[in-house]
Amino acid sequence: MLQSKKSLKFILAFLISIVPVFANALNINHIITLQKDGGGNLNLSYFAKRSEIKSMNNVIGNFPFTNDKITELFSNPALQVKGITIAKDSKDSTFDRVTMTIFFKNVSALNSLKAFANFTVNMNSTDSGNVITYLVSPEFTKQNSVENLYVILKPESEILTTNGKIEDKRITWFRGSEFIKADKPFGFTATLKSEDKKGPGNTGGDGKSCGLFGLELPLLLLGGLVLTARRRKSNS
């Protein structure tokens, strides 16, 4: 447990230490700790240039920089938000950074947050294992002016396959502006070992998916787009 806490502190310190060099854009870091039953927490951090924040009335897309707006866009009965801070970035005082921890009993509950509109997180049981998907639409990156997106997954279960990088029992994904400004969705995916099913085996530290997952991903992306469309329609 102590080693796990030290590891998380190291990751947070690394992400916070990244010098923000992109003006007029939002940088978002997710660190998700996921239990076998689908519960866990999300350590969320996002930052942007203060001048850009003010020009957008303290809200860039769905990501606010005031306490009242944070309460509005990050509140849901299925979730618990703690440790909200709004402060100057430690490496560049011209940037402001928001950090918080969101606790959930089911990772898919994150989809209920207004801040995560057009960003879909799911865990589904399959013959291969428990499949985790993070599906990001062009609407999400454009609406929120996303420059960089980090997602780190720290699962309790064994990692079987992923299209991310495996290191120290965690998975890291990253997309910069050169990859996320295309007019198409992209997905972060992983298959975790379930309690009663055996998966296809670990892909190793290079984070490449096996052939089976290459077949699963287009179907998962399609399903995520359908879910996103339904959410947008219900919110309109």
Side-chain angles (χ1 to χ4, degrees), residues 15-202:
L15 293 177
I16 291 175
S17 68
I18 297 173
V19 178
V21 295
F22 300 102
N24 306 324
L26 192 67
N27 298 267
I28 307 173
N29 301 327
H30 295 76
I31 302 177
I32 295 183
T33 301
L34 188 64
Q35 301 167 358
K36 293 180 180 180
D37 62 0
N41 65 77
L42 162 64
N43 286 287
L44 175 66
S45 172
Y46 57 90
F47 58 92
K49 191 82 170 178
R50 187 174 303 111
S51 58
E52 175 68 8
I53 295 170
K54 290 183 177 180
S55 71
M56 301 294 290
N57 294 320
N58 295 313
V59 181
I60 298 180
N62 292 325
F63 286 80
F65 288 81
T66 60
N67 282 306
D68 57 338
K69 278 292 184 179
I70 289 174
T71 299
E72 175 186 345
L73 295 176
F74 283 94
S75 293
N76 188 276
L79 302 162
Q80 187 177 22
V81 182
K82 292 185 177 182
I84 299 171
T85 63
I86 306 171
K88 292 180 181 179
D89 190 88
S90 60
K91 294 296 182 180
D92 190 334
S93 61
T94 65
F95 280 70
D96 283 345
R97 182 186 291 268
V98 174
T99 60
M100 69 184 76
T101 301
I102 304 172
F103 295 87
F104 51 82
K105 293 183 179 180
N106 189 311
V107 67
S108 63
L110 294 172
N111 299 323
S112 63
L113 295 175
K114 293 180 180 179
F116 289 161
N118 300 314
F119 179 93
T120 305
V121 185
N122 282 310
M123 183 169 81
N124 299 299
S125 178
T126 72
D127 290 338
S128 302
N130 291 325
V131 178
I132 311 297
T133 58
Y134 300 75
L135 303 177
V136 186
S137 70
E139 289 79 10
F140 177 84
T141 55
K142 291 178 182 178
Q143 180 179 357
N144 298 292
S145 301
V146 179
E147 183 71 34
N148 291 302
L149 176 62
Y150 277 95
V151 177
I152 294 177
L153 179 65
K154 295 170 58 65
E156 183 181 11
S157 303
E158 179 186 348
I159 302 167
L160 299 178
T161 65
T162 180
N163 63 353
K165 181 180 180 181
I166 302 174
E167 185 178 6
D168 296 331
K169 297 182 179 180
R170 66 176 183 263
I171 307 169
T172 302
W173 296 274
F174 170 73
R175 289 293 184 276
S177 59
E178 65 271 28
F179 297 107
I180 64 179
K181 289 184 177 178
D183 293 328
K184 60 181 180 180
F186 59 89
F188 303 143
T189 58
T191 303
L192 308 177
K193 185 177 180 180
S194 60
E195 293 299 310
D196 56 348
K197 296 177 182 179
K198 294 183 179 180
N202 200 325

